[in-house]
Amino acid sequence: MNSQYIKRAENCLNDEMEAVKELADQLYQEDLAGVIFFCSIGYDLGKIKDAVAKYFDCPVTGCTTAGEIGTRYQKNGIVGISFSSRKFAFHCAGIDDLNNFNLNEAKDLIEDMKKNLKFSSVLDPAKIFTILLIDGLSVKEEEITSSLYRALEGISLIGGSAADNLTFTRTFVFAENEFRTGVASFVLIESKMSFKAYKMQHYQPSDKDMVITEADAAKRIVTEINGGPAAEELAEIIGIPKDELTLEVYSTHPVMLQIGDEWYVRSIQYVNEDDSLTFACAIDSGIPLTVGEGTGLLPSLKKQIDQIRSDFSHIEATIGFDCIHRRLEIFAKGLVDEVENELGKIKFIGFSTYGEQFNSIHVNQTLTCVVIGKP
């Protein structure tokens, strides 16, 4: 399962101290550069924090999930990955004030990190990638992602929005040795090994179009579509009764937005009592949307993983962020075993998210990842 320089681990032990100890035992290396973990919101996070402090003596970051992904899709557990300082260097920073973080703040943060680079003196896209873990209910992913990527001078950025098992109440990021809400953890990773970032999705636009006619952009709430109550109009466009709008329906009938030549999914989180819709991505009045049609999650995944395997002669590990809507579709369609088999081919470790980041864009219903290995 593990390589000489990267180790992955997972378990679903109920006791927090035992779960982290088991994780630490499996991730142990004499020369740890850093550790990233993803854990269930069901744990006592104070006990997880204490256990991390006890069992790890290196930079550690992580967040809560809507399910963890290791060799299998799991819930109510913890997964993690560790890196050897012989091949990697970690630079971690917490972003505390998401509301006021901007391009200038991002530039200052990156400049501070540049001063402490160990393997090079410049931001080299061939030697550095970055990971962002952010509160999945903060409604600030777009601003933070865009600001950081603009300051990164072409360095790859991938990430995931922390989750809370679909309760949509509070999500937590482990930054600066604490679990906190309303924050992000940004990690710049220097690597002496080759790597490449990927974005995967399996939807294309249909001929079912609509226009958002009223929305609260700050809260990502759409109140009107095509001049009528949002939920009613969406249900009519999809062709189902309004009371059948569920997360599973959003997973299989997502709405899409065109940006340039690319189409991006704009996932719906839930219907509100007033028939408005809460989205997981930026949304605003006047935006045209289209219902997406699936091209087949499994065939698409196989094709994309075949491409990854052709890009690398050997894969050490893949860190990935997979939308909760994809997980729901995988389970609803009975694809779990086959998807786990495909992800195993790229040595995947990650979690089910409330949103994904890829370079400058915050996306939904997508799998973003960085693959590390030999060309």
Side-chain angles (χ1 to χ4, degrees):
M1 179 178 180
N2 289 317
S3 75
Q4 187 176 358
Y5 304 108
I6 303 175
K7 293 187 175 182
R8 297 172 295 138
E10 62 198 70
N11 70 71
C12 287
L13 297 174
N14 293 326
D15 182 88
E16 289 83 359
M17 194 65 71
E18 290 180 4
V20 175
K21 182 181 185 304
E22 174 71 16
L23 196 76
D25 289 344
Q26 294 181 52
L27 296 181
Y28 174 77
Q29 302 187 56
E30 290 184 359
D31 49 2
L32 278 176
V35 167
I36 302 172
F37 74 91
F38 311 117
C39 73
S40 170
I41 191 76
Y43 281 129
D44 182 323
L45 298 181
K47 292 180 179 179
I48 293 286
K49 181 197 79 168
D50 292 344
V52 168
K54 179 176 181 179
Y55 292 114
F56 291 106
D57 185 20
C58 67
V60 180
T61 190
C63 67
T64 57
T65 77
E68 307 79 48
I69 310 170
T71 55
R72 61 188 182 85
Y73 280 84
Q74 66 177 50
K75 283 188 72 174
N76 305 318
I78 187 168
V79 301
I81 184 168
S82 69
F83 298 82
S84 166
S85 61
R86 286 174 288 170
K87 295 290 184 181
F88 301 92
F90 263 53
H91 307 275
C92 300
I95 301 174
D96 297 330
D97 188 357
L98 299 182
N99 290 323
N100 294 307
F101 190 83
N102 55 34
L103 179 58
N104 288 332
E105 297 269 340
K107 288 179 176 178
D108 289 344
L109 174 58
I110 304 304
E111 282 300 315
D112 286 342
M113 287 183 162
K114 282 171 65 175
K115 296 172 185 176
N116 297 310
L117 294 178
K118 295 182 179 179
F119 300 157
S120 60
S121 57
V122 297
L123 292 178
D124 185 345
K127 296 180 180 178
I128 296 170
F129 63 90
T130 61
I131 290 176
L132 177 68
L133 304 176
I134 185 167
D135 183 334
L137 300 176
S138 66
V139 200
K140 292 296 176 182
E141 292 101 327
E142 283 87 4
E143 293 93 329
I144 306 302
T145 302
S146 176
S147 295
L148 284 170
Y149 187 68
R150 289 174 65 190
L152 279 169
E153 302 173 17
I155 300 294
S156 294
L157 182 153
I158 60 154
S161 301
D164 63 352
N165 277 349
L166 296 176
T167 61
F168 300 110
T169 306
R170 296 180 79 194
T171 74
F172 292 83
V173 173
F174 188 80
E176 298 174 336
N177 303 313
E178 295 277 354
F179 277 105
R180 291 179 291 164
T181 62
V183 305
S185 176
F186 178 67
V187 188
L188 184 149
I189 301 176
E190 297 179 78
S191 174
K192 291 183 178 179
M193 305 188 78
S194 295
F195 57 85
K196 186 176 179 180
Y198 296 86
K199 174 174 70 71
M200 308 179 193
Q201 68 179 42
H202 62 288
Y203 280 92
Q204 63 187 17
S206 70
D207 59 358
K208 297 179 178 178
D209 299 325
M210 69 192 85
V211 176
I212 295 172
T213 47
E214 188 174 307
D216 183 337
K219 296 180 180 178
R220 295 179 180 162
I221 293 176
V222 172
T223 51
E224 283 188 4
I225 291 174
N226 294 346
E232 289 184 11
E233 291 295 322
L234 178 65
E236 183 175 335
I237 291 166
I238 293 174
I240 63 172
K242 188 191 73 174
D243 59 7
E244 290 183 14
L245 287 175
T246 63
L247 273 170
E248 287 73 19
V249 170
Y250 311 145
S251 298
T252 52
H253 298 82
V255 295
M256 303 188 76
L257 169 68
Q258 187 174 20
I259 303 175
D261 294 330
E262 293 256 357
W263 285 88
Y264 296 91
V265 175
R266 286 293 185 255
S267 286
I268 299 166
Q269 286 186 332
Y270 46 85
V271 177
N272 300 302
E273 290 185 2
D274 62 357
D275 281 348
S276 63
L277 301 170
T278 295
F279 278 70
C281 253
I283 212 76
D284 205 350
S285 299
I287 291 178
L289 298 174
T290 298
V291 175
E293 291 180 332
T295 57
L297 189 151
L298 188 60
S300 173
L301 181 65
K302 285 183 175 180
K303 181 178 179 180
Q304 291 159 328
I305 286 180
D306 285 346
Q307 179 62 55
I308 291 172
R309 296 177 75 194
S310 71
D311 291 343
F312 289 85
S313 63
H314 174 74
I315 294 172
E316 294 279 331
T318 298
I319 310 170
F321 308 96
D322 195 24
C323 183
I324 181 58
H325 285 279
R326 287 171 59 93
R327 185 189 189 105
L328 291 171
E329 181 176 350
I330 288 164
F331 275 76
K333 294 184 175 178
L335 302 175
V336 178
D337 290 345
E338 292 165 295
V339 171
E340 288 174 348
N341 180 61
E342 290 300 316
L343 294 179
K345 295 175 182 177
I346 58 172
K347 300 179 181 177
F348 190 93
I349 198 94
F351 75 100
S352 296
T353 74
Y354 280 176
E356 305 77 55
Q357 288 76 52
F358 186 79
N359 291 336
S360 64
I361 304 291
H362 172 60
V363 291
N364 294 139
Q365 214 132 334
T366 304
L367 187 156
T368 63
C369 64
V370 60
V371 181
I372 304 164
K374 298 175 183 177

